[in-house]
Amino acid sequence: MTDTDTRADRHGESRPRRWLREPLVHFLLLGVLLFVLFEWLGGDTGPMSNRITVSQARVQQLAASFTKIWQRPPTGEELKGLVDDYVREEIAYREAVAMGLDRDDTIIRRRLRQKLEFLVEDAASATPPTEVELQAYLDAHPETFRLEPRVAFRQAYVDPSAGSDAPARARALLDRLQDAGPEASLDGLGDPIMLEAEVPLLRQDEVARLFGDEFAAQLVTLQPGRWQGPIESGYGLHLVMPREVLPGRALALDEARRDVERELLGQRRREQLAAMYDELLQKYSVTIEGATGQPGAGGRQ
């Protein structure tokens, strides 16, 4: 047993599971999927063939789609109509391809590309990430999976346009609030504003949406339990009394598992697509007419 095998076994990861993550295995799976899809659609039913075979699987799929839409199975006559319509669609498709109507059609090209990439992405997501992989991804991207600072606070507002020397009025109001204490009544104090005087526990980004980034960044650094300020926002000046300030922190895997798995699978799909295109590019000779400078590597000229 090699050192790599020993390390993999130590983490509880078997050889078959490691093989399933190899790019070559994914390409083989893609080939199998394409073969199965070809057979499911009826075997020798390519656009150049004059034989149309409506497989039993296709008939069942047509019936299932009808049932899903109408909440009942199709009658015999309705099923015959579905099959007849499918045959007409297949004839129209083959004739259109034979006439070259699919060429240079941006929508068709994009749709075919999407279908190919969906097959590759499905193969890349076939094997769930292991605990080791999830933890390694979380450790490598700590800033992506953080709990933002949160704060609940009270506020009194001073409107700069409501009178002269707003900073002086704010300082005088701060003295009154500090004398009255954390639970001071705010009735008749400060200038009117449409925002609530009592703000519940919010994330820093939620506070920023209401008051601005600088206000939120300064607010989460204040000591709870006493009136402080003034802090400036886009509205004016605010005297604030933080009730509770919860600092931000990195999330543990148990807290962020779903998000970590989603991001890791997204990265795996992107890497698999890039690998597929790098591999397929070797089959082609690409000439970019009128291009200046050196073209990229990998089959281009």
Side-chain angles (χ1 to χ4, degrees):
M1 181 178 292
T2 66
D3 292 340
T4 301
D5 294 334
T6 303
R7 287 194 297 271
D9 293 340
R10 189 181 302 129
H11 291 297
E13 185 180 6
S14 63
R15 290 184 183 181
R17 293 185 67 116
R18 285 185 284 112
W19 290 344
L20 286 173
R21 291 199 302 278
E22 292 296 326
L24 179 59
V25 175
H26 293 165
F27 286 124
L28 291 175
L29 287 174
L30 176 59
V32 172
L33 286 172
L34 290 173
F35 175 78
V36 171
L37 179 62
F38 176 75
E39 290 299 316
W40 181 64
L41 291 176
D44 54 346
T45 57
M48 302 306 293
S49 173
N50 62 357
R51 177 184 175 188
I52 297 176
T53 301
V54 185
S55 67
Q56 185 63 35
R58 173 60 71 182
V59 175
Q60 292 173 352
Q61 188 267 335
L62 293 171
S65 296
F66 182 97
T67 302
K68 184 176 181 180
I69 294 174
W70 298 103
Q71 299 300 304
R72 64 172 179 83
T75 65
E77 184 177 352
E78 288 170 333
L79 184 58
K80 180 180 182 302
L82 293 172
V83 173
D84 289 344
D85 187 65
Y86 171 77
V87 172
R88 294 191 188 99
E89 181 181 278
E90 185 66 22
I91 291 172
Y93 162 70
R94 296 189 189 190
E95 292 299 318
V97 170
M99 295 171 63
L101 300 182
D102 59 321
R103 300 170 193 163
D104 299 323
D105 188 307
T106 301
I107 295 177
I108 292 177
R109 288 166 62 91
R110 288 176 180 171
R111 180 57 179 158
L112 291 174
R113 175 181 177 178
Q114 286 177 346
K115 293 184 75 171
L116 175 62
E117 292 184 352
F118 286 158
L119 287 173
V120 177
E121 290 174 347
D122 287 344
S125 303
T127 306
T130 65
E131 289 291 305
V132 173
E133 290 174 319
L134 290 172
Q135 187 63 58
Y137 189 87
L138 177 60
D139 293 342
H141 304 84
E143 293 304 317
T144 304
F145 307 101
R146 286 189 60 82
L147 187 65
E148 281 202 55
R150 290 172 292 167
V151 59
F153 63 101
R154 308 182 73 202
Q155 62 144 341
Y157 173 65
V158 175
D159 185 354
S161 65
S164 60
D165 201 359
R169 291 192 295 119
R171 288 193 296 271
L173 179 56
L174 177 61
D175 290 339
R176 292 182 59 183
L177 291 170
Q178 288 177 337
D179 289 341
E183 301 301 327
S185 173
L186 300 179
D187 293 340
L189 295 181
D191 298 317
I193 188 173
M194 295 184 66
L195 298 173
E196 295 292 333
E198 192 81 36
V199 181
L201 194 65
L202 297 177
R203 299 192 312 269
Q204 181 175 338
D205 64 326
E206 294 174 322
V207 176
R209 282 196 291 270
L210 293 172
F211 296 89
D213 291 337
E214 293 184 7
F215 179 96
Q218 188 173 350
L219 179 64
V220 297
T221 66
L222 300 180
Q223 185 71 27
R226 64 186 185 89
W227 288 97
Q228 299 160 76
I231 302 179
E232 188 172 1
S233 75
Y235 302 102
L237 301 177
H238 304 258
L239 291 313
V240 297
M241 197 288 295
R243 286 196 179 277
E244 184 178 16
V245 179
L246 302 177
R249 61 177 177 84
L251 292 173
L253 180 57
D254 287 344
E255 297 174 290
R257 182 178 303 277
R258 292 179 61 182
D259 291 336
V260 174
E261 183 171 355
R262 183 185 66 248
E263 294 297 321
L264 176 55
L265 288 175
Q267 175 180 287
R268 185 187 290 179
R269 288 190 291 267
R270 291 189 295 272
E271 291 174 348
Q272 193 63 48
L273 283 175
M276 179 198 72
Y277 282 118
D278 287 344
E279 182 74 17
L280 294 177
L281 187 58
Q282 305 307 314
K283 298 169 53 178
Y284 296 88
S285 175
V286 180
T287 300
I288 304 176
E289 297 181 348
T292 58
Q294 293 295 324
R300 298 183 182 182
Q301 65 178 25

